[in-house]
């Protein structure tokens, strides 16, 4: 990033849809530890200007870490 070699593809992103997509993607990992993933979406669309792919990667990493460091049979919200 600091070397200027990293380009972001900025566009409007539906945050709630992206979060639901990531939760669906991570559900098998959570099931393996008997962890329940829960998401509560807003009724109004929340759009933000971001790089959807990079934001998705960040969310996947955060949720993967939450699953990894949570005890089995818990809930991650």
């Amino acid at each position: 990033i600091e070397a200027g070699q990293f380009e972001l593809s900025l566009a409007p992103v539906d945050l709630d849809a992206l979060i639901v997509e990531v939760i669906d993607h991570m559900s098998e990992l959570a099931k393996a530890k008997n962890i329940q993933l829960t998401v509560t979406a807003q009724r109004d669309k929340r759009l933000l200007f971001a790089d959807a792919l990079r934001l998705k990667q960040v969310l996947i990493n955060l949720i993967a870490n939450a699953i990894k460091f949570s005890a089995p049979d818990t809930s991650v919200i």
Side-chain angles (χ1 to χ4, degrees), residues 5-48:
Q5 302 294 323
F6 192 82
E7 289 187 34
L8 294 175
S9 178
L10 300 176
V13 176
D14 180 344
L15 183 58
D16 290 318
L18 185 65
I19 290 170
V20 169
E21 181 182 338
V22 169
I23 293 294
D24 289 344
H25 177 75
M26 301 301 295
S27 63
E28 288 302 316
L29 182 63
K31 272 187 201 175
K33 285 186 71 175
N34 199 30
I35 292 175
Q36 179 181 357
L37 296 177
T38 306
V39 62
T40 304
Q42 298 290 326
R43 292 182 190 258
D44 299 330
K45 272 192 171 185
R46 292 186 289 179
L47 295 177
L48 57 111

